[in-house]
Amino acid sequence: MNSICHNLIEIHKKIDQATLQAGPHRAKNPVTLVAVSKTWPAQSIKAAYQCGQHAFGENYVQELLKKQEELSSLPIEWHFIGHLQSNKSRLIVNVVQWIHAVDSLKLAKRLSLQRDSTLSPLNICIQLNLTHERSKSGIEEGQLLPLLNAIRMLPNLRLRGLMTIPSHHQTVNEQQQTFKRLHQLLEKANQEGHQLDTLSMGMSLDFETAIQEGSTMVRIGSAIFGQRQYNRKPE
Ligand SMILES: *Cc1c(COP(=O)(O)O)cnc(C)c1O
């Protein structure tokens, strides 16, 4: 067995353990694993696919398109998890199933307009910047309800949930509070009539904590594929 398969099995074990520890209510809301393949070649994605991993996350538009071309024979579920500039939305809006980091009405409107209406609606999450980091995209808490209310009216999109990335300057305990806060915001939105079912939170180093706080979708890269060889700047 190759190391990617081995890592996937280990991660699934940990996800199951964390889900059990989080209590019986978690059974209703299983955790989806999105394998984050940024910087890794199509070959690595193929290896993971052959071990049963079918959802993959990419951060950069050109990198995603190139890999899709190489892997066109595989029915992969593609997640765009990086910051998406509005002027690039057209390039990917009809080739991915999920966009995790929607952070403006302008972007949502473009996605809605550009999404081919014969495809199933595009699943989207709103990214929140709960740690107020300048370097990070995402909206502030106070902007959430107005944005959700506006996006709800748009065709061809399916509003699924919320996404966040805690700061690596935070302690584990502070990161846990950040995850908890995202969960509270989702419940608050649902009390206001939204029907969000997705909390996209948790990465290689913190996914177990995120699951304890209600994550339904973890985005994991290095724990599956290994340490990234280089860190690219966003496009
Ligand atoms: C890179 C990335 C991940 C995966 O990070 P790892 O620490 O390698 O698991 C998850 N989410 C986003 C938005 C990313 O950019």
Side-chain angles (χ1 to χ4, degrees):
M1 186 174 29
N2 64 45
S3 64
I4 290 177
C5 276
H6 173 82
N7 293 344
L8 280 168
I9 290 169
E10 290 303 310
I11 288 166
H12 277 293
K13 273 191 212 154
K14 289 182 182 168
I15 288 175
D16 289 347
Q17 271 166 13
T19 307
L20 275 176
Q21 276 169 16
H25 63 284
R26 287 309 320 258
K28 283 190 287 170
N29 252 340
V31 177
T32 302
L33 170 59
V34 177
V36 177
S37 42
K38 64 173 177 229
T39 79
W40 293 97
Q43 195 90 14
S44 303
I45 296 179
K46 205 169 190 174
Y49 188 89
Q50 282 162 351
C51 304
Q53 177 62 36
H54 294 171
F56 291 88
E58 289 282 341
N59 291 55
Y60 307 106
V61 169
Q62 296 306 334
E63 187 178 338
L64 169 73
L65 295 174
K66 181 166 170 281
K67 289 179 195 173
Q68 281 189 332
E69 208 178 300
E70 291 174 59
L71 296 165
S72 57
S73 61
L74 300 182
I76 287 173
E77 179 179 283
W78 291 102
H79 294 241
F80 193 80
I81 62 171
H83 175 66
L84 180 59
Q85 290 169 265
S86 309
N87 62 4
K88 298 213 171 143
S89 60
R90 187 181 295 279
L91 295 170
I92 61 159
V93 65
N94 292 317
V95 297
V96 301
Q97 285 79 20
W98 283 78
I99 295 195
H100 286 240
V102 173
D103 60 357
S104 72
L105 184 57
K106 179 182 168 204
L107 174 60
K109 279 182 170 165
R110 284 180 72 100
L111 292 170
S112 169
L113 207 64
Q114 293 166 348
R115 178 73 170 180
D116 178 345
S117 60
T118 65
L119 297 174
S120 55
L122 181 63
N123 298 296
I124 61 167
C125 293
I126 307 298
Q127 182 177 5
L128 281 113
N129 183 355
L130 297 175
T131 47
H132 317 289
E133 288 161 282
R134 286 235 196 94
S135 59
K136 210 173 264 176
S137 34
I139 61 165
E140 299 286 323
E141 282 187 35
Q143 300 170 278
L144 180 61
L145 279 176
L147 183 60
L148 289 174
N149 291 337
I151 292 181
R152 179 157 57 176
M153 315 306 282
L154 300 174
N156 307 322
L157 300 182
R158 187 161 164 218
L159 203 41
R160 294 298 296 269
L162 309 179
M163 180 271 215
T164 202
I165 307 171
S167 162
H168 30 246
H169 302 301
Q170 288 180 309
T171 63
V172 171
N173 191 34
E174 286 166 343
Q175 292 181 343
Q176 184 160 6
Q177 296 309 312
T178 300
F179 293 139
K180 202 186 278 288
R181 185 66 193 145
L182 196 72
H183 194 172
Q184 287 168 348
L185 289 170
L186 177 131
E187 303 217 309
K188 202 167 128 199
N190 285 347
Q191 282 161 14
E192 298 290 327
H194 291 282
Q195 291 179 317
L196 308 181
D197 62 6
T198 301
L199 276 174
S200 168
M201 58 188 198
M203 312 186 0
S204 291
L205 295 178
D206 57 18
F207 69 93
E208 288 156 295
T209 310
I211 289 169
Q212 286 185 2
E213 294 305 331
S215 171
T216 67
M217 205 172 254
V218 291
R219 310 175 309 269
I220 298 181
S222 40
I224 298 172
F225 296 107
Q227 221 47 50
R228 283 182 286 280
Q229 300 301 300
Y230 58 96
N231 269 314
R232 286 183 46 184
K233 287 228 158 57
E235 290 164 1

